Amino acid sequence: MRRFLREFFALDHFLVVIYAIFLMWLVVTLAVNISFLNPLERAVENFSMTDVFYDISSTSGERDSSDLITLVDMTDVYDRSRLADIVDSIQKYEPALMGVDIVFEGWRGDTAGTERIIEAICGASSPMVWAYKMADWNEEEAQFESTIHSVFADYVDVNEGYTNVIRDTNGGTVRSFGISRMAEHQIQHSLPATVATTFLGDTTIYDRLTDQNINFTATIFPVLQPDSIWLHPELIRGRIVMLGATHDGQDMHFTPIGKMAGLEVLAYTIQTMVEHRDVKLFSGWQTLLFTLIIIWLGQLCQHFVLQQFKRRHSHIAHFLYESEVTTAIITFFILIILVGICFWLFFTYNVYINTAWAMMGIALLLESRDLYKLTLILLYERYHWPWLKRSVYADEIEGHK
């Protein structure tokens, strides 16, 4: 047992981990500074295991049906008077709240239709939140220079929230939605944040970070067509009802679980906020410590398995010890276990650990060990330090005299 513990906590393993960190730094530095490797850099930056986790959840089991949010498809509704009638029909069944992901720019020659919408807003018994857009981003001042509101916002007091979708700058994947942004020198709040705040009566939502990580755990949001609202009052009463297009090709977004309409992205964001499904992220220091520990455990696992083959006196065991395929297989199983544990933490406790660096480090352990062994051999040949023979790789040193 003493020999095992001495070998388990040997300094060599920690130094191999340091070599792995060095190789990781070298790979990233090359990817950043060499132009033809820029696609590799973007791929690494855009990689998130949450995409893998959400994809597994959406394909491996049945989706839960939302008992909080109902969507009303307005893709083919162009007449403003008809939209006002739809709002009236939904209000009749007493929704908890209505969110409208439609912006009516200008009168557009439909004075009667716009006036009908104003009537519907004034006569609504349930609260409503209307969409608006922010435009003309100013990079220097980190704010939008203008906002685009529905025409009736100038005539009636309406509750509004912006609907600008945040896309990842590299891959275009939507993983978060803004809670607040600066526009026209004022703090503006998003439609999901405004809906959640109004529904919960909790203004502390506005005090969170500027972005809300969206929990994309596969969910079925009931979708009603305008003509069938009266058939399903149970999907209206007491629920958040979101109106917008579900089949508009110009309002589709890539997400970790596939391409979806902007209205559905809003629904997932609202669900995350209202049901407190926030994904808890490891801090930078926690991620660094986790990465070091996982690479160290990976090194120990590879070392002890390979030593078992080395100590057996058979041709097959010797082949397995010498073969890089063996290390690759061990690495594969380590990564599977790592992903499985992180997947369980993610869906059980909503805790996400960025495993990208740990996985890269484990994949580089073979090269790290070889580089470390080469260092020991060169040091011994040059200086003949006797303490080098106490290394767990002392036999490699002896073999290269």
Side-chain angles (χ1 to χ4, degrees), residues 333-349:
F333 281 106
I334 293 173
L335 294 178
I336 290 294
I337 294 171
L338 173 62
V339 171
I341 292 173
C342 292
F343 179 84
W344 175 77
L345 287 172
F346 186 74
F347 283 104
T348 305
Y349 299 103

Side-chain angles (χ1 to χ4, degrees), residues 76-133:
D76 298 323
V77 176
Y78 305 102
D79 184 76
R80 296 184 178 184
S81 295
R82 188 185 176 204
L83 183 137
D85 292 338
I86 294 169
V87 169
D88 287 339
S89 65
I90 293 174
Q91 287 284 335
K92 182 172 63 175
Y93 295 113
E94 302 176 345
L97 184 148
M98 289 181 63
V100 185
D101 183 26
I102 305 172
V103 179
F104 299 92
E105 299 181 41
W107 290 88
R108 297 289 177 89
D110 188 5
T111 303
T114 303
E115 290 177 345
R116 274 287 294 121
I117 294 178
I118 295 175
E119 290 176 6
I121 294 172
C122 294
S125 57
S126 300
M128 302 180 68
V129 180
W130 292 80
Y132 72 92
K133 299 176 182 178

Side-chain angles (χ1 to χ4, degrees), residues 267-280:
Y268 272 105
T269 309
I270 294 168
Q271 177 178 259
T272 302
M273 293 179 177
V274 171
E275 297 185 347
H276 305 288
R277 296 190 180 189
D278 305 63
V279 176
K280 306 173 187 66

Side-chain angles (χ1 to χ4, degrees), residues 58-88:
S58 65
T59 58
S60 63
E62 295 184 359
R63 298 188 177 195
D64 292 331
S65 182
S66 174
D67 57 3
L68 173 69
I69 300 172
T70 297
L71 309 182
V72 177
D73 182 16
M74 306 291 285
T75 305
D76 298 323
V77 176
Y78 305 102
D79 184 76
R80 296 184 178 184
S81 295
R82 188 185 176 204
L83 183 137
D85 292 338
I86 294 169
V87 169
D88 287 339

Side-chain angles (χ1 to χ4, degrees), residues 81 101 138 146 159 232 244 274 283 289 312 385:
S81 295
D101 183 26
N138 187 323
S146 61
N159 205 4
H232 300 281
V274 171
S283 66
L289 181 60
R312 296 181 181 276
W385 289 331

Side-chain angles (χ1 to χ4, degrees), residues 64-334:
D64 292 331
S65 182
S66 174
D67 57 3
L68 173 69
I69 300 172
T70 297
L71 309 182
V72 177
D73 182 16
M74 306 291 285
T75 305
D76 298 323
V77 176
Y78 305 102
D79 184 76
R80 296 184 178 184
S81 295
R82 188 185 176 204
L83 183 137
D85 292 338
I86 294 169
V87 169
D88 287 339
S89 65
I90 293 174
Q91 287 284 335
K92 182 172 63 175
Y93 295 113
E94 302 176 345
L97 184 148
M98 289 181 63
V100 185
D101 183 26
I102 305 172
V103 179
F104 299 92
E105 299 181 41
W107 290 88
R108 297 289 177 89
D110 188 5
T111 303
T114 303
E115 290 177 345
R116 274 287 294 121
I117 294 178
I118 295 175
E119 290 176 6
I121 294 172
C122 294
S125 57
S126 300
M128 302 180 68
V129 180
W130 292 80
Y132 72 92
K133 299 176 182 178
M134 300 183 296
D136 303 321
W137 172 253
N138 187 323
E139 186 69 37
E140 293 182 359
E141 297 187 10
Q143 70 163 342
F144 290 90
E145 296 290 344
S146 61
T147 56
I148 303 170
H149 299 261
S150 292
V151 61
F152 50 75
D154 295 331
Y155 301 95
V156 291
D157 185 18
V158 292
N159 205 4
E160 294 180 291
Y162 69 80
T163 55
N164 298 61
V165 175
I166 302 172
R167 293 182 178 87
D168 184 274
T169 55
N170 295 307
T173 302
V174 177
R175 297 191 181 99
S176 61
F177 206 100
I179 292 178
S180 62
R181 286 290 187 275
M182 289 296 296
E184 299 178 335
H185 303 285
Q186 292 182 341
I187 296 177
Q188 310 283 346
H189 299 295
S190 68
L191 186 141
T194 305
V195 167
T197 297
T198 305
F199 180 79
L200 295 174
D202 180 13
T203 58
T204 60
I205 291 175
Y206 291 150
D207 299 328
R208 299 180 185 179
L209 298 175
T210 56
D211 294 339
Q212 169 69 61
N213 291 314
I214 305 172
N215 190 321
F216 278 106
T217 301
T219 304
I220 297 175
F221 296 102
V223 180
L224 296 179
Q225 296 301 317
D227 296 335
S228 62
I229 291 173
W230 66 277
L231 294 173
H232 300 281
E234 76 282 359
L235 295 179
I236 301 294
R237 187 168 288 110
R239 297 166 67 102
I240 297 173
V241 180
M242 298 294 297
L243 282 70
T246 62
H247 296 92
D248 184 355
Q250 296 181 342
D251 188 30
M252 301 297 289
H253 308 276
F254 289 102
T255 73
I257 57 174
K259 202 173 183 180
M260 68 172 60
L263 185 67
E264 197 170 357
V265 173
L266 295 177
Y268 272 105
T269 309
I270 294 168
Q271 177 178 259
T272 302
M273 293 179 177
V274 171
E275 297 185 347
H276 305 288
R277 296 190 180 189
D278 305 63
V279 176
K280 306 173 187 66
L281 304 177
F282 267 32
S283 66
W285 283 108
Q286 289 174 324
T287 302
L288 175 61
L289 181 60
F290 170 83
T291 300
L292 292 173
I293 291 174
I294 292 301
I295 298 175
W296 176 65
L297 292 175
Q299 157 64 13
L300 289 174
C301 183
Q302 292 185 6
H303 172 77
F304 282 107
V305 172
L306 290 173
Q307 288 300 309
Q308 288 299 313
F309 290 127
K310 182 180 180 181
R311 290 166 183 162
R312 296 181 181 276
H313 301 289
S314 72
H315 295 294
I316 295 177
H318 181 74
F319 169 78
L320 293 174
Y321 171 74
E322 295 287 345
S323 175
E324 293 184 1
V325 176
T326 306
T327 303
I329 294 174
I330 299 171
T331 300
F332 173 78
F333 281 106
I334 293 173

